[in-house]
Coordinates of all heavy atoms in Angstrom, one line a residue:
M1 N -8.6 57.1 -4.5 CA -9.8 56.6 -4.4 C -10.8 57.7 -4.0 O -10.3 58.7 -3.2 CB -9.9 55.5 -3.3 CG -9.3 54.2 -3.8 SD -8.8 53.2 -2.5 CE -7.1 53.4 -2.8
N2 N -12.1 57.7 -4.5 CA -12.9 58.8 -4.1 C -13.6 58.5 -2.8 O -14.0 57.5 -2.4 CB -14.1 58.7 -5.1 CG -13.5 58.9 -6.6 OD1 -12.6 59.7 -6.7 ND2 -14.0 58.3 -7.6
D3 N -13.6 59.6 -2.0 CA -14.3 59.5 -0.6 C -15.8 59.7 -0.9 O -16.6 59.3 0.1 CB -13.8 60.5 0.2 CG -12.3 60.3 0.8 OD1 -12.0 59.0 0.8 OD2 -11.6 61.2 1.0
A4 N -16.2 60.2 -2.0 CA -17.6 60.4 -2.3 C -17.8 60.4 -3.7 O -16.8 60.4 -4.6 CB -17.9 61.9 -1.7
A5 N -19.1 60.1 -4.1 CA -19.4 60.1 -5.5 C -18.9 61.3 -6.3 O -19.2 62.3 -5.8 CB -20.8 59.8 -5.7
S6 N -18.4 61.1 -7.5 CA -17.9 62.3 -8.3 C -18.7 62.3 -9.6 O -18.5 63.2 -10.3 CB -16.5 62.3 -8.4 OG -16.1 61.2 -9.2
D7 N -19.6 61.4 -9.9 CA -20.1 61.3 -11.1 C -21.6 62.0 -11.2 O -22.1 62.1 -12.2 CB -20.3 59.8 -11.7 CG -21.3 59.0 -10.8 OD1 -21.7 59.6 -9.7 OD2 -21.4 57.8 -10.9
G8 N -22.0 62.5 -10.1 CA -23.3 63.3 -10.1 C -24.5 62.4 -10.4 O -25.7 62.8 -10.4
A9 N -24.4 61.0 -10.4 CA -25.5 60.2 -10.7 C -26.1 59.6 -9.4 O -26.9 58.7 -9.4 CB -25.0 59.0 -11.5
G10 N -25.7 60.1 -8.2 CA -26.4 59.8 -6.9 C -25.4 58.9 -6.1 O -25.8 58.7 -4.9
G11 N -24.4 58.4 -6.5 CA -23.6 57.6 -5.7 C -22.4 56.9 -6.6 O -22.4 57.0 -7.8
P12 N -21.5 56.3 -5.8 CA -20.4 55.7 -6.6 C -20.8 54.4 -7.5 O -21.9 53.9 -7.1 CB -19.4 55.3 -5.5 CG -20.3 55.1 -4.3 CD -21.4 56.0 -4.5
D13 N -20.0 54.0 -8.3 CA -20.4 52.7 -9.1 C -20.2 51.6 -8.0 O -21.2 50.8 -8.1 CB -19.4 52.6 -10.1 CG -19.5 53.5 -11.3 OD1 -20.7 53.9 -11.6 OD2 -18.5 54.0 -11.8
V14 N -19.2 51.6 -7.2 CA -18.9 50.5 -6.3 C -18.6 51.1 -4.9 O -17.8 52.0 -4.8 CB -17.7 49.7 -6.8 CG1 -17.6 48.5 -5.8 CG2 -18.0 49.2 -8.2
L15 N -19.2 50.5 -3.9 CA -18.7 50.8 -2.4 C -18.1 49.5 -1.9 O -18.7 48.4 -1.9 CB -20.0 51.2 -1.7 CG -19.6 51.5 -0.2 CD1 -20.5 52.6 0.2 CD2 -19.6 50.4 0.8
L16 N -16.8 49.6 -1.5 CA -16.2 48.5 -0.9 C -16.1 48.7 0.6 O -15.8 49.6 1.0 CB -14.7 48.4 -1.5 CG -14.6 48.3 -3.0 CD1 -13.1 48.4 -3.4 CD2 -15.2 47.0 -3.5
A17 N -16.6 47.6 1.3 CA -16.6 47.7 2.7 C -15.8 46.7 3.4 O -15.9 45.4 3.0 CB -18.0 47.6 3.3
N18 N -14.8 47.0 4.3 CA -14.1 46.0 5.0 C -14.7 45.8 6.3 O -14.9 46.7 7.2 CB -12.7 46.5 5.3 CG -11.8 45.6 6.1 OD1 -11.9 44.4 6.0 ND2 -11.1 46.2 7.0
L19 N -15.2 44.6 6.6 CA -16.1 44.3 7.7 C -15.1 43.6 8.9 O -15.6 43.6 10.0 CB -17.1 43.2 7.4 CG -18.1 43.5 6.3 CD1 -19.1 42.5 6.1 CD2 -18.7 44.9 6.4
S20 N -13.9 43.2 8.6 CA -13.1 42.6 9.5 C -12.8 43.5 10.7 O -12.4 44.7 10.5 CB -11.8 42.2 8.8 OG -12.0 41.2 7.9
T21 N -12.7 42.9 11.8 CA -12.4 43.7 13.1 C -10.9 43.5 13.4 O -10.3 44.3 14.0 CB -13.3 43.4 14.3 OG1 -13.2 42.0 14.5 CG2 -14.7 43.7 14.0
S22 N -10.3 42.3 13.1 CA -9.1 42.1 13.4 C -8.6 40.8 12.7 O -9.5 40.0 12.3 CB -8.7 42.0 14.9 OG -9.4 40.9 15.4
G23 N -7.3 40.5 12.7 CA -6.8 39.3 11.9 C -6.5 38.3 13.1 O -7.0 38.4 14.2
P24 N -5.7 37.3 12.7 CA -5.2 36.4 13.7 C -4.6 37.0 14.9 O -3.9 38.0 14.8 CB -4.1 35.5 13.0 CG -4.4 35.8 11.5 CD -5.0 37.1 11.4
S25 N -4.9 36.5 16.0 CA -4.4 37.0 17.3 C -4.7 38.4 17.6 O -4.0 39.1 18.2 CB -2.8 36.8 17.4 OG -2.5 35.4 17.3
H26 N -5.9 38.9 17.0 CA -6.3 40.2 17.2 C -5.4 41.3 16.6 O -5.5 42.4 17.0 CB -6.7 40.5 18.6 CG -7.7 39.6 19.3 ND1 -9.0 39.5 18.8 CD2 -7.5 38.5 20.0 CE1 -9.6 38.5 19.5 NE2 -8.7 37.9 20.1
M27 N -4.6 40.9 15.6 CA -3.8 41.8 14.9 C -4.8 42.7 14.1 O -5.7 42.3 13.4 CB -2.8 41.3 13.9 CG -1.7 40.4 14.6 SD -0.5 39.8 13.4 CE -1.5 39.4 12.0
V28 N -4.5 44.0 13.9 CA -5.2 44.9 13.0 C -4.5 44.7 11.7 O -3.3 45.1 11.5 CB -5.3 46.4 13.5 CG1 -6.0 47.2 12.5 CG2 -6.0 46.4 14.8
L29 N -5.3 44.4 10.7 CA -4.7 44.2 9.3 C -5.4 45.3 8.4 O -6.6 45.4 8.3 CB -5.1 42.8 8.8 CG -4.7 41.7 9.7 CD1 -5.2 40.4 9.0 CD2 -3.1 41.6 9.6
P30 N -4.6 46.0 7.7 CA -5.1 47.0 6.7 C -5.8 46.3 5.5 O -5.3 45.1 5.2 CB -3.9 47.8 6.2 CG -2.8 46.9 6.5 CD -3.1 46.0 7.6
P31 N -7.0 46.8 5.0 CA -7.6 46.2 3.9 C -6.9 46.3 2.6 O -7.3 46.9 1.6 CB -8.9 46.8 3.9 CG -8.6 48.2 4.4 CD -7.5 48.0 5.4
L32 N -5.7 45.7 2.4 CA -4.9 45.8 1.2 C -5.6 45.2 0.0 O -5.6 45.8 -1.1 CB -3.4 45.2 1.4 CG -2.6 45.9 2.4 CD1 -1.3 45.1 2.4 CD2 -2.4 47.3 2.1
G33 N -6.2 44.1 0.2 CA -7.0 43.5 -1.0 C -8.0 44.3 -1.5 O -8.2 44.5 -2.7
M34 N -8.7 45.1 -0.6 CA -9.7 45.9 -0.9 C -9.2 47.2 -1.8 O -9.6 47.6 -2.6 CB -10.5 46.4 0.2 CG -11.7 47.1 0.0 SD -12.8 47.4 1.5 CE -11.9 48.7 2.3
A35 N -8.0 47.5 -1.3 CA -7.4 48.6 -1.9 C -6.9 48.4 -3.4 O -7.1 49.2 -4.3 CB -6.2 49.3 -1.1
Y36 N -6.4 47.1 -3.5 CA -6.1 46.7 -4.8 C -7.3 46.6 -5.8 O -7.3 46.9 -6.9 CB -5.4 45.2 -4.7 CG -4.0 45.3 -4.2 CD1 -3.7 44.3 -3.3 CD2 -3.1 46.2 -4.6 CE1 -2.3 44.3 -2.8 CE2 -1.7 46.1 -4.1 CZ -1.4 45.1 -3.2 OH -0.2 45.2 -2.6
A37 N -8.4 46.1 -5.2 CA -9.6 46.0 -6.0 C -10.1 47.4 -6.4 O -10.5 47.6 -7.6 CB -10.7 45.2 -5.1
A38 N -10.0 48.4 -5.5 CA -10.3 49.7 -5.8 C -9.6 50.2 -6.8 O -10.1 51.0 -7.8 CB -10.3 50.5 -4.5
A39 N -8.2 50.0 -6.9 CA -7.3 50.6 -7.8 C -7.7 50.0 -9.3 O -7.7 50.7 -10.3 CB -5.9 50.3 -7.5
A40 N -8.0 48.6 -9.2 CA -8.3 48.0 -10.6 C -9.6 48.5 -11.1 O -9.7 48.7 -12.3 CB -8.4 46.5 -10.3
L41 N -10.6 48.8 -10.2 CA -11.9 49.5 -10.7 C -11.7 50.8 -11.3 O -12.2 51.1 -12.2 CB -12.9 49.4 -9.5 CG -13.4 48.0 -9.2 CD1 -14.1 48.0 -7.7 CD2 -14.3 47.4 -10.2
E42 N -11.0 51.5 -10.4 CA -10.7 53.0 -10.8 C -9.9 53.0 -12.1 O -10.2 53.9 -13.0 CB -10.0 53.7 -9.7 CG -10.9 54.0 -8.6 CD -10.3 54.8 -7.5 OE1 -9.0 54.8 -7.4 OE2 -11.0 55.5 -6.7
A43 N -9.0 52.0 -12.5 CA -8.4 52.0 -13.7 C -9.3 51.7 -14.8 O -8.9 52.1 -16.0 CB -7.3 51.0 -13.7
R44 N -10.4 51.2 -14.5 CA -11.4 51.0 -15.6 C -12.6 52.0 -15.6 O -13.8 51.7 -15.9 CB -12.0 49.6 -15.4 CG -10.9 48.6 -15.8 CD -11.2 47.2 -15.3 NE -10.2 46.2 -15.6 CZ -8.9 46.1 -15.1 NH1 -8.7 47.1 -14.1 NH2 -8.1 45.3 -15.6
A45 N -12.3 53.1 -14.9 CA -13.2 54.4 -14.9 C -14.4 54.1 -14.1 O -15.4 54.8 -14.2 CB -13.6 54.8 -16.4
C46 N -14.3 53.4 -13.1 CA -15.4 53.2 -12.0 C -15.2 54.2 -10.9 O -14.0 54.4 -10.5 CB -15.4 51.7 -11.4 SG -15.9 50.4 -12.7
T47 N -16.2 54.7 -10.4 CA -16.0 55.5 -9.1 C -16.1 54.5 -7.9 O -16.9 53.6 -8.0 CB -17.1 56.6 -9.0 OG1 -18.4 56.0 -9.2 CG2 -16.8 57.7 -10.2
V48 N -15.2 54.7 -7.0 CA -15.2 53.8 -5.9 C -15.2 54.5 -4.6 O -14.5 55.5 -4.4 CB -14.0 52.9 -6.0 CG1 -13.8 51.9 -4.8 CG2 -13.9 52.1 -7.3
E49 N -16.0 54.0 -3.6 CA -15.9 54.5 -2.3 C -15.4 53.3 -1.4 O -16.0 52.2 -1.6 CB -17.2 55.0 -1.8 CG -17.3 55.7 -0.4 CD -18.6 56.2 0.0 OE1 -19.4 56.5 -0.8 OE2 -18.8 56.4 1.2
M50 N -14.7 53.6 -0.4 CA -14.1 52.5 0.5 C -14.5 52.9 1.9 O -14.4 54.0 2.4 CB -12.6 52.3 0.5 CG -12.1 51.7 -0.8 SD -10.3 51.6 -1.0 CE -9.9 50.8 0.6
I51 N -15.0 51.9 2.7 CA -15.3 52.1 4.1 C -14.6 51.0 4.8 O -14.7 49.7 4.6 CB -16.8 52.0 4.4 CG1 -17.5 53.2 3.7 CG2 -17.0 52.0 5.9 CD1 -19.1 52.9 3.9
D52 N -13.7 51.4 5.7 CA -13.0 50.4 6.6 C -13.7 50.5 8.0 O -13.6 51.3 8.8 CB -11.5 50.7 6.8 CG -10.8 49.7 7.6 OD1 -11.4 48.9 8.3 OD2 -9.6 49.7 7.6
C53 N -14.6 49.5 8.2 CA -15.6 49.5 9.3 C -14.7 49.5 10.6 O -15.2 50.1 11.7 CB -16.5 48.4 9.4 SG -17.8 48.6 8.0
H54 N -13.7 48.8 10.7 CA -12.8 48.6 11.9 C -12.1 50.0 12.2 O -12.4 50.5 13.3 CB -11.8 47.6 11.7 CG -10.9 47.5 12.9 ND1 -11.3 47.1 14.2 CD2 -9.5 47.8 13.1 CE1 -10.4 47.1 15.0 NE2 -9.2 47.6 14.4
A55 N -11.5 50.6 11.2 CA -10.8 51.9 11.5 C -11.8 53.0 11.7 O -11.5 53.9 12.5 CB -10.1 52.3 10.2
A56 N -13.1 53.0 11.2 CA -14.0 54.0 11.4 C -14.9 53.7 12.5 O -15.9 54.5 12.8 CB -14.8 54.3 10.1
S57 N -14.8 52.5 13.2 CA -15.7 52.1 14.3 C -17.1 52.1 13.9 O -18.1 52.7 14.5 CB -15.5 53.0 15.5 OG -14.2 53.0 16.0
I58 N -17.4 51.5 12.7 CA -18.8 51.3 12.2 C -19.2 49.9 12.4 O -18.5 49.0 12.0 CB -18.7 51.7 10.7 CG1 -18.4 53.0 10.5 CG2 -20.1 51.4 10.1 CD1 -18.3 53.5 9.0
D59 N -20.3 49.7 13.0 CA -21.0 48.5 13.2 C -21.9 48.2 12.0 O -22.0 48.9 11.0 CB -21.6 48.4 14.5 CG -22.8 49.3 14.6 OD1 -23.2 50.0 13.7 OD2 -23.4 49.4 15.8
A60 N -22.6 47.0 12.1 CA -23.4 46.5 10.9 C -24.5 47.7 10.7 O -24.9 48.0 9.5 CB -24.1 45.2 11.3
A61 N -25.2 48.2 11.7 CA -26.2 49.3 11.5 C -25.6 50.5 10.9 O -26.2 51.0 10.0 CB -26.9 49.6 12.8
G62 N -24.4 50.9 11.4 CA -23.7 52.0 10.7 C -23.4 51.8 9.3 O -23.5 52.8 8.5
L63 N -23.0 50.6 9.0 CA -22.7 50.3 7.5 C -24.0 50.4 6.7 O -23.9 51.0 5.5 CB -22.1 48.9 7.4 CG -21.7 48.4 6.0 CD1 -20.8 49.5 5.3 CD2 -21.1 47.0 6.0
A64 N -25.1 49.8 7.2 CA -26.3 50.0 6.4 C -26.6 51.4 6.2 O -27.2 51.7 5.1 CB -27.4 49.2 7.2
D65 N -26.5 52.2 7.2 CA -26.7 53.7 7.0 C -25.9 54.3 6.0 O -26.3 55.1 5.2 CB -26.7 54.5 8.3 CG -27.8 54.1 9.4 OD1 -28.8 53.5 8.9 OD2 -27.4 54.3 10.5
A66 N -24.6 53.9 6.0 CA -23.5 54.5 5.1 C -24.0 54.1 3.6 O -23.8 54.9 2.6 CB -22.2 54.0 5.4
V67 N -24.4 52.9 3.5 CA -24.8 52.3 2.2 C -25.9 53.1 1.7 O -26.1 53.5 0.5 CB -25.1 50.8 2.1 CG1 -25.7 50.3 0.8 CG2 -23.7 50.0 2.4
A68 N -27.0 53.2 2.6 CA -28.2 54.0 2.2 C -27.9 55.5 1.8 O -28.5 55.9 0.8 CB -29.2 53.9 3.4
R69 N -26.9 56.1 2.5 CA -26.6 57.5 2.1 C -25.8 57.6 0.8 O -26.0 58.4 0.0 CB -25.7 58.1 3.2 CG -26.6 58.5 4.5 CD -25.6 59.4 5.5 NE -24.4 58.8 5.8 CZ -24.2 57.8 6.7 NH1 -25.3 57.5 7.5 NH2 -23.1 57.4 7.0
S70 N -24.9 56.6 0.6 CA -24.0 56.6 -0.5 C -24.7 56.2 -1.9 O -24.4 56.8 -2.9 CB -22.8 55.6 -0.3 OG -22.0 55.7 -1.4
R71 N -25.6 55.3 -1.7 CA -26.4 54.8 -2.9 C -25.5 54.2 -4.1 O -25.7 54.7 -5.2 CB -27.4 55.9 -3.3 CG -28.4 56.3 -2.4 CD -29.3 57.5 -2.8 NE -29.7 57.4 -4.3 CZ -29.9 58.3 -5.1 NH1 -30.0 59.6 -4.6 NH2 -30.2 58.2 -6.3
P72 N -24.6 53.3 -3.8 CA -23.8 52.8 -4.7 C -24.6 51.8 -5.6 O -25.7 51.3 -5.3 CB -22.7 52.0 -4.0 CG -23.4 51.6 -2.7 CD -24.4 52.7 -2.5
R73 N -24.1 51.6 -6.8 CA -24.7 50.6 -7.8 C -24.4 49.2 -7.3 O -25.2 48.4 -7.4 CB -24.2 50.8 -9.2 CG -24.6 52.1 -9.9 CD -24.1 52.4 -11.2 NE -24.3 51.2 -12.0 CZ -23.4 50.8 -13.0 NH1 -22.3 51.4 -13.2 NH2 -23.9 49.7 -13.7
I74 N -23.2 48.9 -6.7 CA -22.8 47.7 -6.3 C -22.1 47.9 -5.0 O -21.2 48.8 -4.7 CB -21.7 47.1 -7.2 CG1 -22.4 46.9 -8.6 CG2 -21.2 45.7 -6.7 CD1 -21.3 46.5 -9.7
V75 N -22.4 46.9 -4.0 CA -21.7 46.9 -2.7 C -20.9 45.6 -2.6 O -21.4 44.6 -2.9 CB -22.6 46.9 -1.5 CG1 -21.9 46.8 -0.2 CG2 -23.4 48.3 -1.5
A76 N -19.6 45.7 -2.3 CA -18.8 44.5 -2.2 C -18.1 44.5 -0.7 O -17.7 45.6 -0.4 CB -17.6 44.4 -3.3
T77 N -18.0 43.4 -0.1 CA -17.6 43.4 1.2 C -16.2 42.5 1.2 O -16.1 41.5 0.5 CB -18.5 42.9 2.3 OG1 -18.8 41.6 2.0 CG2 -19.7 43.8 2.3
S78 N -15.4 42.8 2.2 CA -14.3 42.0 2.5 C -14.3 41.6 4.0 O -14.6 42.5 4.9 CB -12.9 42.7 2.2 OG -11.9 42.1 2.7
L79 N -14.1 40.4 4.3 CA -14.2 39.9 5.7 C -13.2 38.8 6.0 O -13.2 37.8 5.2 CB -15.6 39.4 5.9 CG -15.9 38.8 7.4 CD1 -15.8 39.8 8.4 CD2 -17.3 38.2 7.3
Y80 N -12.4 39.0 7.0 CA -11.7 37.9 7.6 C -12.5 37.1 8.4 O -13.1 37.5 9.4 CB -10.4 38.5 8.4 CG -9.5 37.4 8.8 CD1 -8.7 36.7 8.1 CD2 -9.6 37.0 10.4 CE1 -7.8 35.7 8.7 CE2 -8.8 36.0 10.7 CZ -7.9 35.3 10.0 OH -7.1 34.4 10.4
T81 N -12.9 35.9 7.9 CA -14.0 35.1 8.5 C -14.1 35.0 10.0 O -15.2 35.2 10.6 CB -14.0 33.7 7.9 OG1 -14.0 33.7 6.5 CG2 -15.3 32.9 8.3
P82 N -13.1 34.8 10.8 CA -13.2 34.8 12.3 C -13.7 36.2 12.8 O -14.3 36.1 14.0 CB -11.8 34.6 12.8 CG -11.3 33.8 11.6 CD -11.7 34.3 10.5
G83 N -13.7 37.2 12.1 CA -14.1 38.5 12.5 C -15.5 38.7 12.4 O -16.1 39.7 12.9
L84 N -16.3 37.8 11.7 CA -17.8 38.0 11.5 C -18.5 38.1 12.8 O -19.3 39.0 12.9 CB -18.3 36.8 10.6 CG -19.8 36.9 10.3 CD1 -20.1 38.1 9.7 CD2 -20.3 35.7 9.6
H85 N -18.3 37.2 13.7 CA -19.0 37.3 15.0 C -18.8 38.6 15.7 O -19.7 39.2 16.1 CB -18.7 36.2 15.8 CG -19.4 36.2 17.2 ND1 -20.7 35.9 17.2 CD2 -19.0 36.4 18.4 CE1 -21.1 36.0 18.5 NE2 -20.0 36.4 19.3
R86 N -17.5 39.1 15.7 CA -17.2 40.2 16.3 C -17.8 41.6 15.7 O -18.2 42.4 16.2 CB -15.7 40.5 16.4 CG -15.1 39.5 17.4 CD -13.5 39.9 17.7 NE -12.8 39.8 16.4 CZ -12.2 38.7 16.1 NH1 -12.4 37.5 16.8 NH2 -11.5 38.7 15.0
F87 N -18.0 41.5 14.3 CA -18.5 42.6 13.5 C -20.1 42.6 13.9 O -20.7 43.6 14.1 CB -18.3 42.4 12.1 CG -19.0 43.5 11.2 CD1 -18.5 44.7 11.1 CD2 -20.2 43.3 10.6 CE1 -19.0 45.7 10.5 CE2 -20.8 44.2 9.8 CZ -20.3 45.5 9.7
E88 N -20.8 41.4 13.8 CA -22.1 41.3 14.1 C -22.5 41.7 15.6 O -23.6 42.5 15.8 CB -22.6 39.9 13.9 CG -22.6 39.5 12.3 CD -23.2 38.1 12.1 OE1 -23.0 37.3 13.0 OE2 -23.6 37.9 11.1
T89 N -21.8 41.3 16.5 CA -22.0 41.5 17.9 C -21.3 42.6 18.5 O -21.7 43.0 19.7 CB -21.8 40.2 18.8 OG1 -20.4 39.9 18.6 CG2 -22.6 39.1 18.2
G90 N -20.2 43.1 18.0 CA -19.5 44.3 18.5 C -18.4 43.9 19.5 O -17.9 44.6 20.2
Y91 N -18.2 42.5 19.8 CA -17.1 42.0 20.6 C -16.5 40.8 19.9 O -17.1 40.1 19.1 CB -17.5 41.9 21.9 CG -18.6 40.9 22.2 CD1 -18.3 39.6 22.5 CD2 -19.9 41.2 22.2 CE1 -19.3 38.5 22.8 CE2 -20.9 40.4 22.4 CZ -20.6 39.0 22.7 OH -21.6 38.0 23.1

């Protein structure tokens, strides 16, 4: 997976962002579904950037900044629903 855009057009085709902070019982779950989606997109010649907000300690404002810097054509997010409040509020 590309950490940065490699097509020279200003950004990746797709930026995938994992917003989940934890799974059931506060287990940390790796974003496997997002990784599968990235692999499928790359197999179709799309450039992909992935951001795991939990692993990178990125909050909503930080994600907005990352999207603005990256300038992807498409942004897709993954979220374990109970983690939404923790992502938005930081706890």
Side-chain angles (χ1 to χ4, degrees):
M1 282 159 260
N2 300 324
D3 289 327
S6 60
D7 63 357
D13 292 319
V14 181
L15 185 143
L16 301 174
N18 176 39
L19 308 181
S20 294
T21 57
S22 65
S25 303
H26 303 287
M27 295 182 321
V28 175
L29 302 172
L32 294 179
M34 191 170 74
Y36 289 133
L41 289 163
E42 288 181 338
R44 288 159 184 78
C46 293
T47 55
V48 178
E49 181 177 343
M50 289 177 51
I51 298 175
D52 185 345
C53 293
H54 179 66
S57 298
I58 295 174
D59 61 7
L63 178 59
D65 290 342
V67 169
R69 281 191 311 273
S70 181
R71 297 180 35 209
R73 291 178 54 215
I74 298 168
V75 176
T77 61
S78 174
L79 173 69
Y80 181 74
T81 306
L84 178 60
H85 179 71
R86 289 188 299 272
F87 179 75
E88 291 178 332
T89 63
Y91 63 90

